[in-house]
Amino acid sequence: MSQKINKVILILALLCSCVWTGYAQTEITAKPDTVIPRDSVVTAVVPTPGETAASDSTVKAVLSAADSLPQPKVKLNEFKPDPNKALLYALVPGLGQIYNKKYWKLPLVYGAFMGCMYAITWNNKNYKDYSGAYFDIMEDYSKVLQGQQPGHEPYEGPWSDSWTIFVPVGQESSYVSNTQFQENLKRRKDYFRRYRDLSIIITVGVYAISIIDAYVDAQLFDFDISPDLSMHWSPEVTPKTRYTQASYGLNCSFKF
C-alpha cells in the first residue's frame, strides 16, 4: 500500500515540474525585457555590415565637426623688455641692445666705439709728439738767445731729439732759430689737440646715443607701426566771427 502511495506522489511531482517548465518558457518568450536567470546563456549581438558603416560615418561626422570648430589660441609668454632694466644694462656699451635682443645693432655700437677710441689714441699720440717738439725747440731757442748776449758763449747744442726728427740731419742750428718752423710745430700741436678733444666729445655722444637707443627701443618694443601711410584732405570752412573774417581752405591729415 505504501509503495502505491509513493508512486502516486512521484507521478504528481513529475507533472508539476513539467507544468512549471512550460510556464517559465512562455514568460520568457512573451516578455523579452524580463531579467534572464543567472544560469541562462547570454549571447553577444554582432552588428551587421550596414550598421558598422553607419556608425563609422557618424564618428567621422562628429570628428569633422570638431575639427571645424575654432581652435583656442594659446598665447605664449612673449618677451617684452623693461625700459628701466634696458637703461641700466645700457650703461655698459652693447648690453642694452643685447637685452632688447637687437643683436644686429652690436656691430654698429662696437664699431663706433672702436673708431672713436682709435681717433682719440691717434690724435693724442700726435699731439704729444708735436707738443713735446714745440716746447723743446722753444727751450733750445731760448738757450741760443741767451748765448747771443754779451758775456755768454754761443750755444750750438746738444739739441733735443723731439724736434730734430722733423728736420734734415746736420741743419739743426738753422732750424732752431726758424720762427716759421716753430709756428708750424705749434699749429700741428694745436691741430691734434683740437681733434683729440673732438674725438672725446664724439665718443661721449656715441655712448649717450647707445643708452638712448636701448631705452627708446625697449619703450617702443610693442608699438604698432601700421603699413598704411596715406594722406587725407577735406575742405575746411571757418565761419565769420566778430574778430575774424570767414575763411576757406583745405585740411590735410597724414595717417601713419
Side-chain angles (χ1 to χ4, degrees), residues 106-182:
L106 292 178
L108 300 178
V109 174
Y110 288 119
F113 272 102
M114 290 177 64
C116 291
M117 295 304 298
Y118 177 78
I120 292 174
T121 304
W122 187 74
N123 285 292
N124 186 59
K125 178 182 178 301
N126 285 280
Y127 164 72
K128 288 183 176 181
D129 291 342
Y130 281 100
S131 177
Y134 174 73
F135 288 114
D136 288 343
I137 196 174
M138 295 305 297
E139 183 178 356
D140 291 344
Y141 180 63
S142 64
K143 294 178 181 179
V144 172
L145 294 178
Q146 186 178 1
Q148 292 176 356
Q149 295 179 359
H152 293 80
E153 296 181 358
Y155 183 80
E156 296 181 355
W159 314 109
S160 300
D161 295 334
S162 58
W163 63 270
T164 55
I165 60 175
F166 297 104
V167 299
V169 179
Q171 300 183 15
E172 291 84 358
S173 299
S174 61
Y175 274 89
V176 68
S177 302
N178 190 340
T179 57
Q180 184 177 0
F181 178 69
Q182 297 172 1

Side-chain angles (χ1 to χ4, degrees), residues 56 87 150 174 177 195 253:
D56 292 341
L87 184 62
S174 61
S177 302
Y195 279 93
S253 61

